Amino acid sequence: MLSFTVAIRKKRPLIPGEGHHWWPKSLSQYWTDHAGLISRIDTDGKVSRSKPFATGKISDGHNIRLGNGWDTTFEQDFDRPDNNFPIVVNFLESLVRSHCEKTSLEKSCQCAHACTESDLQQLCECLVSLAVRSPHFRHRILRTALDALNNVPKERHKILIGANVMQAYRRLIGNNLGRGKFLVLFSRSKEFIFGDGFYSHNLTSMSSGCRILVPLTPLIAVLYILPGAYMVNPRLVTQEAIDEVIPIINETVQVYSKECLFYRFERPFLSEHFLRREHLYYSNGDPVEMLIEQMPGAKMPQWPL
């Protein structure tokens, strides 16, 4: 568990009670329908619609309000990825177009792309920023803290979560982001969904075994892995998500989400996992393993002795 140490920065004034986006509007804008609204469905089946600015917000989400002049905010830490999300989406869409132009490729084929280190660093930073801000990650921090500490007052929970989210993100982006492997899955027909949780494994250390799977748009999802050992090239491949893959990704979103799912046009059928109203995770029988096994070079070959 991370400590309470807070690095005081004065890049941005703290605004008490400010609504911070755990789903930045620069990304959620791609989930709007023809009326410019995003659809949200809750565990009770209630559907509501809102504009990107009003979607995916939490009060004081990136503030640490300690009082006695020690209040601080780390909202500015996410300025760079939030500004870069449109660039990242355009980059991914260009890869998809390049893939589709290769008409000889069958639906299940993969296409490797030559990407700059800057492209991959930028993509990974955006993925990590989404993961650490998500309600699912905040829940994991609180659960770990409450297991280790006794009688933490409820009014201190946001301080505890905020301090740990800040430190986790600053430590993660200080590492060499993007040195793993990426699988960009795209759909031409059925849509992905988003939620208040998504697949992220071993993210706290960004060490061996780290995995993130997140739908960035209704038609593009990205799987990032940083295994302990792997063949470096190709770093990034695209693949069309066949009909069997899209339900796996959407079901995974429902497993990791607790309160809400978001969609553009295709309203999801609520699974039993989502209806439990818990941030769950795969402990065994992880279907994402199947996608990882399809990534070229993700697993080192076992050479005969």
Side-chain angles (χ1 to χ4, degrees), residues 25-291:
K25 54 186 180 294
S26 59
L27 181 63
S28 63
Q29 64 177 327
Y30 296 97
W31 294 76
T32 58
D33 59 19
H34 299 311
L37 300 174
I38 302 169
S39 293
R40 162 181 167 150
I41 185 167
D42 301 329
T43 51
D44 58 4
K46 178 183 177 182
V47 174
S48 57
R49 300 168 76 220
S50 59
K51 292 184 177 296
F53 179 79
T55 306
K57 295 175 70 173
I58 183 172
S59 175
D60 282 323
H62 308 143
N63 290 340
I64 304 174
R65 300 178 62 184
L66 299 171
N68 299 320
W70 289 95
D71 290 355
T72 188
T73 183
F74 57 101
E75 169 69 1
Q76 69 279 345
D77 286 23
F78 300 112
D79 286 347
R80 187 169 65 188
D82 288 358
N83 290 333
N84 286 338
F85 271 115
I87 299 172
V88 165
V89 170
N90 288 338
F91 165 65
L92 295 175
E93 289 177 339
S94 70
L95 298 181
V96 171
R97 286 193 298 271
S98 175
H99 181 116
C100 294
E101 287 171 359
K102 301 179 185 299
T103 55
S104 61
L105 289 176
E106 297 179 0
K107 194 170 186 179
S108 60
C109 287
Q110 295 179 336
C111 180
H113 300 268
C115 303
T116 67
E117 195 67 30
S118 175
D119 288 335
L120 299 181
Q121 292 267 0
Q122 190 168 252
L123 171 57
C124 195
E125 182 179 38
C126 285
L127 296 179
V128 171
S129 78
L130 275 182
V132 300
R133 279 183 281 184
S134 72
H136 177 259
F137 191 76
R138 295 173 65 89
H139 165 76
R140 282 170 51 188
I141 287 174
L142 183 60
R143 183 181 62 186
T144 301
L146 295 182
D147 286 344
L149 303 172
N150 294 322
N151 303 319
V152 179
K154 189 172 183 178
E155 61 269 19
R156 305 289 291 181
H157 286 185
K158 274 195 174 182
I159 298 174
L160 178 67
I161 294 170
N164 281 270
V165 168
M166 179 187 72
Q167 291 189 28
Y169 184 61
R170 290 180 180 178
R171 187 180 67 248
L172 290 169
I173 62 174
N175 293 339
N176 183 18
L177 294 177
R179 68 184 186 277
K181 301 180 77 68
F182 301 83
L183 172 62
V184 178
L185 293 155
F186 66 93
S187 172
R188 303 182 201 238
S189 54
K190 296 182 179 180
E191 294 189 340
F192 299 115
I193 63 172
F194 194 73
D196 63 343
F198 55 85
Y199 185 89
S200 57
H201 174 77
N202 200 27
L203 183 65
T204 54
S205 62
M206 206 63 174
S207 60
S208 175
C210 172
R211 308 169 189 170
I212 300 174
L213 172 61
V214 55
L216 292 182
T217 78
L219 299 177
I220 297 178
V222 178
L223 172 61
Y224 169 79
I225 66 168
L226 182 58
Y230 58 97
M231 298 180 67
V232 175
N233 293 315
R235 300 283 299 281
L236 182 150
V237 296
T238 52
Q239 178 178 325
E240 183 171 356
I242 58 177
D243 293 343
E244 293 80 5
V245 169
I246 296 173
I248 289 176
I249 296 175
N250 287 345
E251 175 65 14
T252 298
V253 170
Q254 296 211 37
V255 167
Y256 283 75
S257 296
K258 176 184 178 181
E259 296 181 354
C260 54
L261 303 172
F262 301 95
Y263 62 96
R264 184 170 60 172
F265 298 126
E266 300 176 13
R267 175 174 172 171
F269 175 81
L270 304 184
S271 74
E272 60 178 313
H273 301 103
F274 179 62
L275 293 176
R276 288 177 58 177
R277 300 187 180 189
E278 299 178 61
H279 288 296
L280 304 174
Y281 60 92
Y282 292 127
S283 58
N284 51 55
D286 183 349
V288 180
E289 287 281 359
M290 180 194 72
L291 299 177

